[in-house]
Amino acid sequence: MHELSLIEALIEELEKQNELNKWGKVLKVNLKVGAMRQVIPEVMTFAFEVSTEGTFLDGAKLELDIVPIKWRCKACGNEWDEERATNGGLCEKCGSIDVELLSGMELEIESLEVEDTDVTES
Amino acid sequence: MSRKVSVRKSVFAADEQYAFKIREMFKDKGILMLNIIGSPGAGKTTLLEATLKSLPFKAAVIEGDVATSRDAERISKTGTPVIQINTQGGCHLEAHLVWKALQDLPMEELDIIFVENVGNLVCPAEFDLGEDYKVAVCSVPEGPDKPLKYPHLFFRAGVVLLTKVDFLEHFNFDKELFWGDVKKLNPHAAQLEVASPVGKGMDAWFEILEKWLVEKRR
Ligand SMILES: Nc1nc2c(ncn2[C@@H]2O[C@H](COP(=O)(O)OP(=O)(O)O)[C@@H](O)[C@H]2O)c(=O)[nH]1
Ligand SMILES: [Mg+2]
Ligand SMILES: [Zn+2]
Ligand SMILES: [Zn+2]
């Protein structure tokens, strides 16, 4: 359900970009997904497969690159990874509550693989 | 043969721009905007109805639902300007939808805008609408384990409202567990217990609204 709306937003953004860039046939979409984004990878790729049918992305493969959750303490600079989604809690080193998220919320189109139509030699 | 093209663009790049625009606009106008999030049936609309009946500020409401304008009709009865957004299946509101709805509100006359998000504990919390605070609404019948099961909303909320506390004894609800988990996830959030249909806890809620509004206009 949630994955479906993310995929719809992804397709919409790619369609917009394709108007400008005229990519032609897209073979693969490399998407960075932060671990805080609450997505199930299989559901994402399934939703992509279903939703791209009949669009210029039909047949393209969705490749997910999961970005780990990283927090940083603004008081002492301490950085740490977190397995689960939390608010970072307190800094383990200095106990400060002033922590910021460095990564984990990404939903970024990293790159595409498109069919190369300009190639004349083999 | 294939070639690789670099894109490096957030899927929500356009939407994030709208959230930014909304925040800038309300900074200028000194209007407080709240994003109200909770499960379907948690009591979001009921809380708004009770709030609007005696709120000493000028308010407007944006209602987000998958379908129907039922909630907007309920709000309308309090005499408050309200705009309904139907997401047509979408499970959360996005900033561009709110931006569009805002164009139909009498902005110059307002102090507070309440946005009731689509009933859903999962993803509305992830989408910035340009609000000042997220308001987490969780009701006693849902059980006390929701904060740990759906941490996203709770750790981003400015206030957590436990609603339907008139049901406490019927549901064997472990309040200490609930508030303990909320505190672990988010030590900053204000904690309130309300039963809005009978007026319980509403004074503390109004105090928070007033404090936020004063801070916004300082
Ligand atoms: N007893 C009691 N019922 C409530 C309370 N708040 C909401 N309700 C009821 O819960 C149901 C769902 O409330 P509603 O505001 O529509 O939930 P929403 O989906 O979160 O907007 C309605 O029948 C309300 O009358 C409360 O504090 N106490
Ligand atoms: Mg409602
Ligand atoms: Zn530290
Ligand atoms: Zn959603």
Side-chain angles (χ1 to χ4, degrees):
Chain A
M1 177 69 191
H2 174 51
E3 282 82 355
L4 195 58
S5 31
L6 298 186
I7 289 295
E8 273 165 12
L10 168 69
I11 294 173
E12 214 173 283
E13 183 61 38
L14 283 170
E15 272 172 342
K16 240 192 288 168
Q17 295 282 322
N18 187 45
E19 301 250 310
L20 304 171
N21 299 303
K22 308 271 183 259
W23 287 316
K25 187 166 174 50
V26 177
L27 304 173
K28 196 158 132 198
V29 176
N30 294 308
L31 186 71
K32 273 191 175 171
V33 184
M36 291 259 279
R37 275 286 175 185
Q38 314 182 83
V39 304
I40 302 167
E42 295 73 36
V43 180
M44 283 289 271
T45 45
F46 178 69
F48 185 79
E49 226 171 84
V50 175
S51 310
T52 49
E53 251 173 58
T55 73
F56 84 104
L57 293 160
D58 204 336
K61 195 171 166 274
L62 179 67
E63 183 94 17
L64 301 181
D65 174 14
I66 308 290
V67 185
I69 302 169
K70 232 185 187 39
W71 289 92
R72 181 176 167 278
C73 170
K74 286 203 213 168
C76 77
N78 180 29
E79 288 182 14
W80 68 98
D81 294 343
E82 202 87 59
E83 284 285 309
R84 277 167 44 93
T86 67
N87 68 337
L90 306 177
C91 170
E92 279 192 4
K93 270 209 178 132
C94 75
S96 167
I97 206 168
D98 198 11
V99 298
E100 62 178 345
L101 189 68
L102 291 182
S103 72
M105 277 303 286
E106 294 75 4
L107 199 69
E108 186 188 309
I109 308 159
E110 167 71 23
S111 62
L112 304 177
E113 250 170 59
V114 301
E115 204 165 72
D116 205 343
T117 44
D118 294 340
V119 181
T120 43
E121 302 148 283
S122 56
Chain B
M1 283 298 281
S2 69
R3 68 195 158 93
K4 193 165 178 172
V5 291
S6 173
V7 182
R8 293 177 174 254
K9 210 164 174 343
S10 162
V11 169
F12 295 110
D15 204 57
E16 283 154 12
Q17 280 303 310
Y18 280 102
F20 181 79
K21 263 164 65 172
I22 290 172
R23 193 162 278 123
E24 287 294 297
M25 177 170 76
F26 288 156
K27 205 195 290 170
D28 278 358
K29 295 189 190 295
I31 297 175
L32 181 70
M33 180 171 137
L34 302 178
N35 182 1
I36 302 180
I37 304 176
S39 317
K44 300 179 293 299
T45 312
T46 308
L47 172 74
L48 285 179
E49 286 172 314
T51 303
L52 296 166
K53 269 181 203 148
S54 42
L55 188 73
F57 309 110
K58 287 223 151 206
V61 174
I62 293 175
E63 279 291 340
D65 279 293
V66 172
T68 82
S69 54
R70 290 271 169 80
D71 282 2
E73 285 155 23
R74 284 168 62 187
I75 296 298
S76 202
K77 289 199 180 116
T78 66
T80 307
V82 54
I83 309 284
Q84 178 80 51
I85 300 175
N86 282 140
T87 58
Q88 327 278 7
C91 44
H92 55 261
L93 285 180
E94 290 175 20
H96 68 275
L97 298 172
V98 173
W99 175 262
K100 223 172 106 210
L102 286 171
Q103 309 310 314
D104 294 327
L105 285 178
M107 221 95 71
E108 300 309 324
E109 301 161 17
L110 295 177
D111 301 311
I112 304 183
I113 295 176
F114 297 97
V115 180
E116 180 179 340
N117 217 310
V118 179
N120 176 348
L121 272 180
V122 185
C123 53
E126 279 178 32
F127 291 85
D128 184 10
L129 303 181
E131 74 273 351
D132 294 285
Y133 296 99
K134 295 187 203 318
V135 174
V137 176
C138 191
S139 64
V140 165
E142 292 169 63
D145 58 355
K146 294 302 164 294
L148 283 193
K149 283 190 177 164
Y150 303 93
H152 286 257
L153 170 59
F154 293 90
F155 76 66
R156 292 194 178 89
V159 57
V160 177
L161 278 124
L162 179 63
T163 59
K164 309 192 190 181
V165 291
D166 49 328
F167 280 150
L168 268 173
E169 59 265 45
H170 304 288
F171 280 86
N172 194 16
F173 185 92
D174 189 341
K175 256 185 7 182
E176 270 170 37
L177 176 74
F178 180 83
W179 289 121
D181 288 346
V182 166
K183 182 143 199 201
K184 253 185 258 160
L185 289 167
N186 187 343
H188 300 289
Q191 306 182 348
L192 293 182
E193 296 183 5
V194 300
S196 54
V198 294
K200 189 173 185 298
M202 296 302 282
D203 290 347
W205 167 231
F206 282 176
E207 271 170 33
I208 289 181
L209 294 177
E210 182 168 7
K211 175 175 154 253
W212 282 345
L213 190 61
V214 168
E215 280 170 7
K216 178 98 192 201
R217 294 186 168 171
R218 200 154 43 205

